[in-house]
Every structure is written in structure tokens, then in C-alpha cells.
Amino acid sequence: MRIIHISDTHIGFERNLSRFNAVADDLIANPPDEPSRCVVLHTGDLIDAAMDANRLAAKKILARLEACGYCILMCPGNHDYGDKLKIDRADAAVFLRDFSSYIFQGEQADFPVMHEVDDCVFIGMDSNEAELGFWERWFAEGYLGSVQLDKLNCMLDRVRGKFVILYLHHHPFYYGYSVMPDVGDKNPLLHLFAWLTRPFRRLKDAYSLCQIVRDRVQVLCFGHMHHGLDSSSESQKYGIPLALDGGSTTCTDDDSDRMRYRIIDTKDLSQTMRMIKISRS
Ligand SMILES: [Fe+2]
Ligand SMILES: [Fe+2]
């Protein structure tokens, strides 16, 4: 089976709608395998702000991929539940309802949610769940909460021995270097207080998550950072062979003219990156 990992499409922000449509065009024209043997995995921030127009536009693109035969799985990101400053319980309920067929493969249920596709087990989590209270929801950076982690622990016991892909939105790993290209050239305060502190503003219960999934998960996919890094050297400390940040498939906040998405082969954990050039004009 092939996993097509996409993330952080932020529909509604600048030209991301047409960019995501271009990615869908590419996937429809050049499927990496029979679409029925592929899972398109979206790790959140599908939309940039919780608005009807964004949700509707996103649905149309996902429906195009589904009509082509792809199985689509998704977990929610912070922007799906609000905007860049906050998440909101009412917006969360609307998003989960509108995209329940991709998030839950049916009626709305609790997280973690488990889907068995062929011989693989996909487990999706909501890394906003413990931040939906009034005091925690501002500048949310991801918090799974003990209730969800306890359920994950039990779920992983039930699927012991199977090939497990875990996916969530917020990044559980630090990265040890800055990948912003213009450090020193401009925006020194932004780099100091926003970008350079971002690695430390990771998923709040990342360490607890890593202890629970230790040696029980083969692939861990996430988004939120928008950098598209391979965190496997970090995750292998916990016995997780492959851990990947999906980046922003539509290049949101990214100094790039190449949209990218990964194709992961579950047979041998090999991965390839597809790039699509975008026009700046
Ligand atoms: Fe994002
Ligand atoms: Fe995010």
C-alpha cells in the first residue's frame, strides 16, 4: 500500500485553493499506484480559518480525489478549529461534522479513531482536544490529554503485531536547526521570538505520547511545522522507524516554489517526494 502524505493546505490563505487543486490534478493524472491501493493522509490544517466558504472549497477537492478512487483519511489541525490565534469548541464541532466521512469514516466518534485498510492499521488523534477549554485555547500548540492517551494505549494493545500508522497534527519532535532561509537577512525579531522558539512550542505531551507508542508504531505522520522534515532520527529513539512532518503541501509560509508531497510504501518503508512547481505570478 502507498500512503500519500499531505498536510497544512490552509485553504482560504492566499492562493492555496488553486495550489491544492493543482496537487489534486497531479494525483488524479499520475496516481503512484492503483488509487484503490493508496491512502491519501491529510494531517490537518486543511483550511486556514473556520469559515463555510473554506470548508466548502476543501470538500470539493477531497471529493475529486475520492471520486478517482483514493481512500482519504484526515485528522484536524488547529486552523480547522478556528484560526491562527485560537481554537473554538463550536468551530471544532462543525468541522468534525462536515468532514466526518474522512476523519471517522462514518458517523462522528471519539479520538483516537482507528481504520483498518488492507493489512494496515491507521490511528488518528486530535491534538487540539485538551486545548479546547477557555484558558488553553489561545495560541494552542497541541495537547492530546491523558484521556486520549489512555485510550491510545489500550488501542495499541489490541492491534499488537500489526503494521500501525499513527497520525496527528502537532509535531511531537524538536528539530535542532533553523530551516528558515532568511535568518540574518531580515525580520530579526520575528526569527528570535517566533521561528526560533517554535521547536520548543511543540505538542505539550509529546514525551508521554512517545512512551506509549514506543516499539508499537511503524510510521508516525504529522504536520503543523510547515517545514516537511524527516524526524526519523529522533523517533527511532522510541523504536518508531519512520516519523515525517508533511510540511505545507501548498507552501504556506514557505519560501519555496515547489509544492511537495510524500509517497510512503508500507512494504519496505521507502519514501519518494513528488514536487510540483508553482508560478509566483
Ligand atoms: Fe499549518
Ligand atoms: Fe497547525
Side-chain angles (χ1 to χ4, degrees):
M1 172 189 292
R2 312 288 171 108
I3 302 167
I4 299 163
H5 185 194
I6 59 178
S7 197
D8 293 78
T9 42
H10 287 265
I11 289 175
F13 179 81
E14 296 183 350
R15 297 182 178 191
N16 284 351
L17 175 56
S18 62
R19 290 180 182 183
F20 193 19
N21 262 312
V23 172
D25 290 344
D26 186 72
L27 280 170
I28 291 166
N30 310 297
D33 197 346
E34 274 297 311
S36 61
R37 295 179 44 77
C38 300
V39 168
V40 174
L41 182 64
H42 195 303
T43 46
D45 284 357
L46 174 70
I47 55 176
D48 192 59
M51 295 162 54
D52 284 341
N54 293 342
R55 285 187 287 261
L56 193 62
K59 267 186 168 180
K60 285 182 181 169
I61 300 178
L62 296 178
R64 288 178 58 212
L65 291 170
E66 200 174 18
C68 179
Y70 287 112
C71 169
I72 300 170
L73 298 178
M74 185 167 68
C75 62
N78 50 311
H79 283 252
D80 299 320
Y81 282 6
D83 55 38
K84 65 181 174 186
L85 296 178
K86 67 170 190 345
I87 54 176
D88 182 88
R89 199 174 288 279
D91 287 333
V94 173
F95 187 82
L96 294 177
R97 183 199 66 202
D98 281 9
F99 293 93
S100 61
S101 63
Y102 304 120
I103 298 170
F104 303 110
Q105 298 284 291
E107 290 298 305
Q108 193 168 324
D110 289 336
F111 291 98
V113 59
M114 184 168 77
H115 316 282
E116 293 207 40
V117 185
D118 290 342
D119 51 354
C120 296
V121 174
F122 289 79
I123 298 178
M125 304 194 78
D126 181 358
S127 52
N128 305 298
E129 188 167 280
E131 288 188 319
L132 281 165
F134 180 82
W135 294 110
E136 295 88 3
R137 66 180 188 165
W138 311 97
F139 310 105
E141 285 292 340
Y143 196 8
L144 292 160
S146 58
V147 174
Q148 202 178 173
L149 285 175
D150 288 347
K151 286 184 189 166
L152 175 68
N153 196 22
C154 296
M155 200 174 262
L156 288 171
D157 274 343
R158 292 206 302 274
V159 298
R160 195 174 288 276
K162 295 194 173 179
F163 190 96
V164 177
I165 300 109
L166 183 72
Y167 58 101
L168 71 164
H169 178 63
H170 290 87
H171 55 103
F173 301 112
Y174 300 115
Y175 53 92
Y177 58 97
S178 170
V179 291
M180 297 307 293
D182 55 344
V183 175
D185 286 18
K186 58 184 181 180
N187 300 326
L189 291 179
L190 190 65
H191 284 296
L192 270 174
F193 298 112
W195 293 117
L196 295 183
T197 60
R198 189 162 187 188
F200 304 100
R201 292 181 282 123
R202 64 169 186 169
L203 182 72
K204 287 171 188 157
D205 40 4
Y207 184 71
S208 299
L209 173 70
C210 288
Q211 295 309 316
I212 287 170
V213 303
R214 183 184 282 270
D215 295 320
R216 298 202 281 181
V217 163
Q218 280 69 47
V219 182
L220 175 55
C221 291
F222 51 93
H224 190 60
M225 275 199 290
H226 293 197
H227 295 323
L229 297 179
D230 184 335
S231 298
S232 304
S233 57
E234 189 77 9
S235 72
Q236 284 162 10
K237 290 193 292 192
Y238 306 100
I240 306 162
L242 202 59
L244 301 168
D245 160 22
S248 171
T249 305
T250 49
C251 302
T252 309
D253 292 330
D254 193 356
D255 184 29
S256 170
D257 62 354
R258 301 287 193 283
M259 293 192 288
R260 294 162 290 173
Y261 61 85
R262 279 199 186 87
I263 301 163
I264 305 158
D265 191 334
T266 58
K267 192 165 66 245
D268 56 6
L269 291 183
S270 62
Q271 43 165 321
T272 52
M273 186 74 83
R274 282 237 184 115
M275 289 185 276
I276 307 168
K277 194 169 190 314
I278 52 176
S279 166
R280 289 286 187 195
S281 61

